[in-house]
Amino acid sequence: MEPLTLHFVHERVGARFIPVGGREVVAGYGDVGAEYGAARGDVALHDASYREILRITGEDRASFLHGMVTQEVKNLPVGSAAYAAFITVKGAMVGDARILKREDDLLLDLEPGLGAKVREFLDKYLISEDAELHDGTPDQGWLKLLGPRTAQVLAAVTGGPPEFPAPLSSRKASIAGQDVWLLGTALPGGLSGVDVLVPRAGLEAVWEALAGADGVKPVGFDALERVRVEAGVPRYGQDMVDTTIPLEANLTNAISYNKGCYIGQEVIARATFRGHMNRKLAGLLLGEQDVAPGTELRRGEKKVGWVTSVVTSPVKGQRVALGYVHRDSLEPGTELTLGEGAGTVTVAALPFTAA
């Protein structure tokens, strides 16, 4: 397990650590409910430096990547970001990434454990283009601010106005003497924040500056998983794997229908023309049942899907899940049976909202 750069910083305040994708992650600091509450109602700070970064340089970097992903890259404005999927010629996912287009390079923000896989996929198609792939993870890391008071915290630590970039827009700033990039973020349901890209050598200084701002609460992976699942956002490695087609996972925000050709485009075009997928990611209401990811979903005698992510949802006041459900059973309110009849769950619309 690759340790966090700031392991000792988190350890001295009682952090609990878990592996995700072969990299060390802070699971939490002892009170997941309070951490979740900070993200929803105040401002939360998360060490996301376990995420992997791939840099692409060279004159042909934009045109090369444009042909490799489901999203627009060539016409993406400098300073903007886009969410995209990498898929095979058969339409199955290799991974996903947030792509930040800067003046001199493209940065791919990847789930932990995806760096080598995505690099190998890109390398296979990199033949004559003037483009080079670099592992950017040792050089930079992400810190995440999330919650309604994010703008005030940024103003306090940067000395700038109480605002932050719009979702998928970025700007440069200085925090604790470090030159950083601020990238706006948003989740379905209205929760917004900013991700801070920091030189890895400056992570401790920037973390301490942000953590010391008024009202900021450090939060772990477990609290953010509650937020993610409530928002209905799938995560590669948990809700998406190498057999997932992006449309099954509701990744319409990762697909451009106006760009030129890319690897796997024909599969996406056929599925879009057909108008439906055989299964799609849906919300599931579990009540108080403790259901494991991978549990089968049945309707009568027929298997109609499976569970992928499970959390306790303060918004719904019960356990909820994401899972894949056959198109004939996707209507919210449809009751499904767990596994071998161990209990029932109810299909729900995404994102999960308060009753």
Side-chain angles (χ1 to χ4, degrees):
M1 181 170 67
E2 182 71 23
L4 278 167
T5 300
L6 300 183
H7 176 97
F8 67 97
V9 172
H10 304 302
E11 186 177 44
R12 67 183 179 223
V13 292
R16 178 173 60 87
F17 301 94
I18 57 171
V20 177
R23 302 184 72 90
E24 185 178 63
V25 173
V26 173
Y29 299 89
D31 189 342
V32 66
E35 294 169 32
Y36 168 92
R40 283 288 186 194
D42 200 350
V43 59
L45 173 62
H46 179 66
D47 182 357
S49 63
Y50 52 83
R51 295 184 63 83
E52 298 192 36
I53 296 172
L54 190 64
R55 285 182 65 236
I56 308 180
T57 60
E59 289 296 319
D60 298 335
R61 61 187 180 276
S63 58
F64 167 66
L65 189 62
H66 186 85
M68 299 299 300
V69 297
T70 56
Q71 187 59 275
E72 174 69 50
V73 178
K74 282 195 295 189
N75 295 319
L76 185 68
V78 171
S80 297
Y83 176 61
F86 301 91
I87 60 176
T88 68
V89 292
K90 295 183 177 180
M93 289 185 69
V94 175
D96 63 347
R98 188 173 50 174
I99 302 166
L100 174 59
K101 191 174 192 178
R102 304 194 298 184
E103 196 72 47
D104 300 317
D105 61 14
L106 294 166
L107 281 191
L108 275 56
D109 169 35
L110 302 162
E111 289 287 339
L114 267 188
K117 182 182 181 185
V118 168
R119 184 169 185 169
E120 181 182 359
F121 174 73
L122 294 176
D123 238 345
K124 183 170 63 174
Y125 293 96
L126 184 55
I127 301 170
S128 59
E129 295 86 355
D130 179 9
E132 294 184 32
L133 309 176
H134 314 268
D135 182 6
T137 312
D139 303 320
Q140 301 173 90
W142 293 99
L143 302 178
K144 176 183 287 290
L145 285 169
L146 189 65
R149 288 192 58 252
T150 295
Q152 290 90 330
V153 169
L154 279 179
V157 298
T158 64
E163 61 185 27
F164 57 89
L168 297 178
S169 296
S170 72
R171 64 177 171 86
K172 296 178 182 179
S174 178
I175 300 176
Q178 300 293 318
D179 293 329
V180 303
W181 283 81
L182 306 179
L183 179 59
T185 65
L187 289 168
L191 193 58
S192 60
V194 66
D195 287 354
V196 185
L197 183 65
V198 185
R200 195 160 287 273
L203 275 173
E204 183 178 2
V206 176
W207 173 271
E208 296 293 356
L210 293 172
D214 184 45
V216 173
K217 186 174 186 62
V219 304
F221 190 79
D222 290 348
L224 290 188
E225 280 290 273
R226 290 187 176 189
V227 173
R228 177 187 71 80
V229 172
E230 286 181 338
V233 175
R235 177 167 63 84
Y236 194 89
Q238 184 70 36
D239 311 285
M240 301 180 290
V241 294
D242 58 9
T243 56
T244 306
I245 295 173
L247 292 172
E248 294 176 330
N250 304 323
L251 299 190
T252 53
N253 61 324
I255 299 170
S256 168
Y257 292 98
N258 301 315
K259 61 177 287 186
C261 296
Y262 59 89
I263 305 297
Q265 181 189 29
E266 290 183 2
V267 176
I268 299 298
R270 281 200 306 270
T272 302
F273 178 77
R274 193 170 65 231
H276 67 262
M277 300 299 298
N278 285 334
R279 57 178 176 252
K280 293 195 79 171
L281 195 70
L284 300 165
L285 302 177
L286 308 181
E288 299 306 311
Q289 299 173 104
D290 190 10
V291 180
T295 299
E296 274 191 11
L297 300 170
R298 305 185 74 86
R299 192 174 184 185
E301 298 301 313
K302 183 180 179 183
K303 178 184 175 182
V304 295
W306 65 93
V307 176
T308 58
S309 287
V310 182
V311 299
T312 297
S313 167
V315 162
K316 300 304 292 186
Q318 60 179 292
R319 302 275 283 172
V320 302
L322 300 179
Y324 286 94
V325 176
H326 190 273
R327 67 176 189 270
D328 293 339
S329 300
L330 280 170
E331 183 67 26
T334 302
E335 194 169 276
L336 305 176
T337 302
L338 287 167
E340 300 298 322
T344 60
V345 302
T346 304
V347 177
L350 293 173
F352 292 102
T353 57

